[in-house]
Amino acid sequence: MDDMKALFIGGTGTISTAISRKLLEEGHELWLINRGNRNRELPEGAHIITADINDEKYVAEQLAGQQFDVVADFIAFVPEQLERDYRLFKGKTRQYIYISSASAYQKPLSDYRITEGTPLANRYWDYSRNKIAGEELLMKLYREEDFPVTIVRPSHTYSERSVPVGLHGKNGSYQVLKRMMEGKPVLIHGDGTSLWTLTFNSDFAKGFVGLMGNIHAIGEAVQITGDESLTWNQIYQTVADALGVELNPYYVSSHFLAKCDTQRLNIEGSLLGDKAHTVVFDNTKLKKLVPGFCADIRFDQGVRKAVAYVMSHPECQIEDPEFDAWCDCVIEAQEEALKKVQMSQKR
C-alpha cells in the first residue's frame, strides 16, 4: 500500500489509538484533530492540530491548503456533526470514513447471522438511531454530491486497558472484577447463553487500515469484527479464569435490569438494544475488500492481556461503590421476589 496522508478526528479512543499506532508503524503520515485533553494518549509521530472540531471556523483555518487521502471521524454521533464534516472536508479528501456501530442493526434480529445487508432499526437506543441517521445522510451525500464515503460498523471492540463485560457502572468494568475477586455474585443478563462477539483493537485496526485508500470501499458499509462467538457465560468465566478466581454468576432478566436502572446506565439501550441478543457476524465482505484479514487474538488471549494490564496499573482500577450497591440491591430484590413466590406456594 502506498504511503497515505490521513486525518483523524479524535484519535485517542479504544479503536482509534490502535489504528493510529498501526498507521505510524507502517510509515504513513497521520494528522489528528484533538482537543488535547488526553495528551498522554497522543501517538508519537503524529501531527497534532489542537482544536475542538465543533469550532468549525477555527478548524477550517487550520486546514487551509491541506489535502488528505483519508479523513476519519471517530467522535461523530449525530447527523449535524456529519453535516459539519461535509462542509469542512468536501474536496479535501479522497475518502471519508464514518465510524458507525453494529448496534444499529435490527433489534430484535430476524436472523442472528449479521451481514451488511441486515436491516438497520433499533427502537431501544438513541445512540444507534443517531448512527443510522448519520449513515443515511452520508449515503445521500455520496449519491447526490459524490462525497467519497465509507461506513465502518464496529461491534464490541476492547483493548488491554479495560476488561469487557456485559454490564458495568459509569466508572467502567473494574468494579465487576472487584466483585469477582471478593467472591460476590456477578450480574449476568438473561441466562448467559446468548452469543456475543468481542474484537481486540489491534485486530480491528488491521481491517480498518485495509479499507483506507481502498477504492472498492467507497460507497460501501463494512462491519469489522472477529469470527469468534462466545456465550456470556464463557466470557465471564474466561475473565474469572484470567483473574484466578471462582465465578459466582447471578442471572437476571435483561428486561428486569432495564426496569431497575436507577443509576441511569442506559441498560435498555446497551442490553435490549444490543448485548441481550445473539449476534454472529459474517465478515465475508470485509475479507473480500481486505484479502488476508484475520482476527488473530482469541478472547482468552486478549482478556489475559487486559486483566494483566488493569491489575498492574492502579489508574485503571477505578472503584464504583454506587454500582456495587446497585448490584446488591438488584440481587436482594430478586431473592425477595423468589421468597414471596415460594411462600405463596406453601399456603
Side-chain angles (χ1 to χ4, degrees):
M1 179 171 56
D2 294 334
D3 289 348
M4 292 183 291
K5 181 180 179 182
L7 171 68
F8 288 174
I9 303 165
T12 57
T14 296
I15 289 175
S16 55
T17 296
I19 300 168
S20 297
R21 186 184 306 126
K22 183 170 179 61
L23 281 175
L24 291 167
E25 287 173 354
E26 293 182 359
H28 301 290
E29 183 179 348
L30 177 63
W31 292 71
L32 301 179
I33 296 177
N34 191 282
R35 289 178 297 180
N37 294 338
R38 299 171 64 182
N39 287 333
R40 288 186 301 177
E41 310 297 332
L42 293 172
E44 185 177 350
H47 303 274
I48 310 299
I49 300 174
T50 303
D52 183 341
I53 187 63
N54 295 305
D55 188 347
E56 187 175 338
K57 183 175 182 294
Y58 178 75
V59 171
E61 292 171 354
Q62 298 301 304
L63 295 175
Q66 294 271 24
Q67 291 287 328
F68 299 95
D69 296 303
V70 181
V71 171
D73 194 333
F74 293 89
I75 54 174
F77 300 103
V78 296
E80 291 78 12
Q81 294 168 326
L82 299 173
E83 291 171 347
R84 173 207 62 211
D85 284 1
Y86 174 70
R87 292 190 297 268
L88 283 169
F89 301 113
K90 179 176 173 56
K92 286 183 172 292
T93 184
R94 295 178 180 177
Q95 183 185 31
Y96 175 89
I97 301 180
Y98 172 50
I99 291 74
S100 183
S101 170
S103 70
Y105 288 122
Q106 180 185 62
K107 301 295 186 303
L109 291 158
S110 56
D111 188 329
Y112 71 92
R113 294 164 297 189
I114 294 178
T115 72
E116 287 80 0
T118 298
L120 304 181
N122 191 326
R123 64 186 178 89
Y124 297 104
W125 204 353
D126 286 342
Y127 168 80
S128 304
R129 289 193 294 272
N130 281 324
K131 288 293 188 181
I132 294 169
E135 289 196 23
E136 292 172 344
L137 169 66
L138 288 172
M139 291 309 295
K140 184 174 186 293
L141 292 173
Y142 167 69
R143 291 190 298 268
E144 298 179 3
E145 305 294 337
D146 294 323
F147 192 49
V149 171
T150 298
I151 293 166
V152 170
R153 297 175 186 148
S155 187
H156 196 160
T157 307
Y158 70 105
S159 73
E160 72 279 2
R161 293 174 181 262
S162 179
V163 178
V165 295
L167 181 66
H168 60 74
K170 296 174 183 177
N171 291 340
S173 64
Y174 175 72
Q175 191 65 45
V176 179
L177 274 61
K178 191 169 185 289
R179 288 182 70 89
M180 287 185 184
M181 292 184 290
E182 292 173 348
K184 299 179 72 172
V186 174
L187 294 178
I188 299 179
H189 60 275
D191 61 2
T193 60
S194 60
L195 293 170
W196 192 243
T197 300
L198 293 141
T199 308
F200 203 75
N201 66 345
S202 59
D203 281 336
F204 182 94
K206 291 189 294 184
F208 191 95
V209 172
L211 295 175
M212 293 177 66
N214 188 331
I215 60 171
H216 303 293
I218 304 298
E220 299 288 349
V222 188
Q223 60 196 23
I224 302 177
T225 78
D227 294 323
E228 181 184 25
S229 297
L230 299 163
T231 67
W232 282 104
N233 285 329
Q234 290 175 315
I235 291 168
Y236 277 89
Q237 185 61 60
T238 303
V239 173
D241 290 345
L243 287 167
V245 300
E246 184 176 345
L247 178 65
N248 183 11
Y250 191 90
Y251 301 102
V252 181
S253 156
S254 296
H255 288 274
F256 185 75
L257 288 167
K259 294 290 186 183
C260 293
D261 190 9
T262 56
Q263 295 285 300
R264 296 184 180 180
L265 303 175
N266 187 36
I267 293 174
E268 181 176 62
S270 64
L271 289 187
L272 301 182
D274 202 19
K275 297 181 180 70
H277 304 272
T278 281
V279 293
V280 176
F281 293 94
D282 181 341
N283 291 303
T284 300
K285 186 173 184 178
L286 172 64
K287 292 173 183 177
K288 183 177 180 181
L289 290 167
V290 187
F293 170 79
C294 179
D296 294 321
I297 301 177
R298 296 193 317 263
F299 180 64
D300 63 300
Q301 298 168 330
V303 84
R304 283 199 298 270
K305 289 184 179 183
V307 166
Y309 188 95
V310 169
M311 299 311 295
S312 62
H313 288 74
E315 68 273 16
C316 296
Q317 300 168 23
I318 305 173
E319 296 189 16
D320 193 338
E322 290 186 359
F323 177 73
D324 195 52
W326 180 83
C327 291
D328 292 337
C329 184
V330 170
I331 293 168
E332 182 181 354
Q334 183 160 292
E335 289 297 308
E336 286 297 321
L338 177 60
K339 288 178 183 177
K340 288 183 178 180
V341 171
Q342 292 173 335
M343 289 297 293
S344 67
Q345 297 300 306
K346 293 179 181 178
R347 293 173 183 170

